[in-house]
Every structure is written in structure tokens, then in C-alpha cells.
Amino acid sequence: MPREQGEKLIASNKKARHDYVIEKTYEAGLVLTGTEVKSLRQGRANLTDGYAYIDGGQAFLDAVHIPEYSQGHWTNHSAKRTRKLLLHKEEIIKLSHAVSAGGYTLVPLRLYFLDGRAKVEIAVAKGKREFEKRQTIREREDKREAERAMRTKNRLGE
């Protein structure tokens, strides 16, 4: 059987881009059990409550919901267990320094398969305050209105 090619998105965390200012992103592998991989291949996962942390020189992903595999039995996994992230030592050191500096957290943005291997994109992020969220929404709406006005102007001018 040939190996998968390309990227297949499983889940994305749209709420993270709303709640956080993304500073830098990293791609990490995941240590998974067999039933977790089968469940992910069915496209079932939820990143909204997930976060990553560094403990003892290792990176972990916590509170990411991968539901139990429907055809699994006693070998099935726990849905919200802590999963180890596979990163280079230098990346783990950079992440731990960023988080320990204060005000930053590690947030999962996307969960996907890349050439048949499960990957997660984690970001060093800073939480937005409520007024910053409103300002971002206002800027996006203003940009959308300006584009709409330009389209109607171009239609009338032709």
C-alpha cells in the first residue's frame, strides 16, 4: 500500500486566533496509540480547550479531545489524555524560555497528517484583552466594508 502524500487537515483551532496574539509557530509530532490514529483518520478531534506545556525538558499536549475509536474495545484510549510532543531539544528550550518569561502560553492551532504522520502546529501566544478582541473585529469589518465599496464603485464605473 503506498504511503499518503501531502497534508490532510483534521482539526483547527479558530478560537485561538480570536483569543490570542500569535507570536511564533512550531510543528511538532505526536506520540499516539493505535486507536487514536484510527480516530484521527476518521477526522475526529477537538482542539478548543487544548494547551501545551513543558515539563522536565519534554513537551506535552493536554486537554485535546480525540474521541474513542468506535470499533475499538479494551485497547481504546482515554479521550482527553496527556500526549507527548516530539520536538527538537533547541525548540523545547526556546519554548520554555518564552513561557517562563511570562504572559505567554503554548496553544495548539492545527492538527493534521503530513505524509501519513500526525502533526500538531503549536504557537507561542499572548492572551488578548477584551478591548483588543473588539478592535480586531472592528478592523476586519472596516476592511470588509472598504472592499465591498470598491467592488460596487468598480461595477458602476464600468
Side-chain angles (χ1 to χ4, degrees):
M1 183 172 133
R3 266 184 82 162
E4 291 181 33
Q5 295 295 315
E7 185 176 306
K8 179 188 171 196
L9 183 67
I10 300 163
S12 64
N13 191 354
K14 295 178 183 176
K15 189 176 180 190
R17 297 202 184 271
H18 175 72
D19 291 341
Y20 298 96
V21 176
I22 307 300
E23 298 288 325
K24 186 160 179 158
T25 60
Y26 294 90
E27 180 183 69
L30 282 164
V31 176
L32 299 171
T33 63
T35 55
E36 286 176 318
V37 175
K38 290 180 179 186
S39 186
L40 287 177
R41 290 208 187 277
Q42 291 177 341
R44 302 169 63 206
N46 188 354
L47 296 174
T48 52
D49 297 332
Y51 63 94
Y53 64 93
I54 309 292
D55 185 30
Q58 296 181 338
F60 296 96
L61 186 65
D62 200 11
V64 171
H65 187 263
I66 299 175
E68 290 185 350
Y69 182 55
S70 57
Q71 283 131 6
H73 42 83
W74 61 271
T75 59
N76 240 337
H77 63 279
S78 171
K80 280 201 172 186
R81 74 177 187 89
T82 302
R83 295 164 181 93
K84 187 175 177 182
L85 293 175
L86 302 173
L87 289 162
H88 291 284
K89 196 68 170 177
E90 301 85 40
E91 291 176 331
I92 292 174
I93 292 168
K94 286 179 188 176
L95 290 172
S96 66
H97 286 308
V99 172
S100 65
Y104 289 99
T105 187
L106 300 175
V107 181
L109 297 178
R110 300 186 308 138
L111 187 60
Y112 56 96
F113 281 108
L114 182 66
D115 296 334
R117 298 181 191 271
K119 303 285 183 179
V120 64
E121 182 179 46
I122 58 172
V124 177
K126 191 170 204 158
K128 284 185 185 177
R129 295 193 198 100
E130 199 61 39
F131 73 89
E132 291 173 328
K133 293 178 189 178
R134 284 193 299 266
Q135 183 178 4
T136 304
I137 292 169
R138 191 176 309 117
E139 288 172 358
R140 186 172 56 229
E141 288 174 355
D142 289 345
K143 183 179 176 185
R144 195 175 294 145
E145 285 178 22
E147 288 174 355
R148 196 174 295 139
M150 290 297 289
R151 271 197 308 257
T152 56
K153 182 180 174 187
N154 288 341
R155 286 184 194 151
L156 295 175
E158 291 178 356

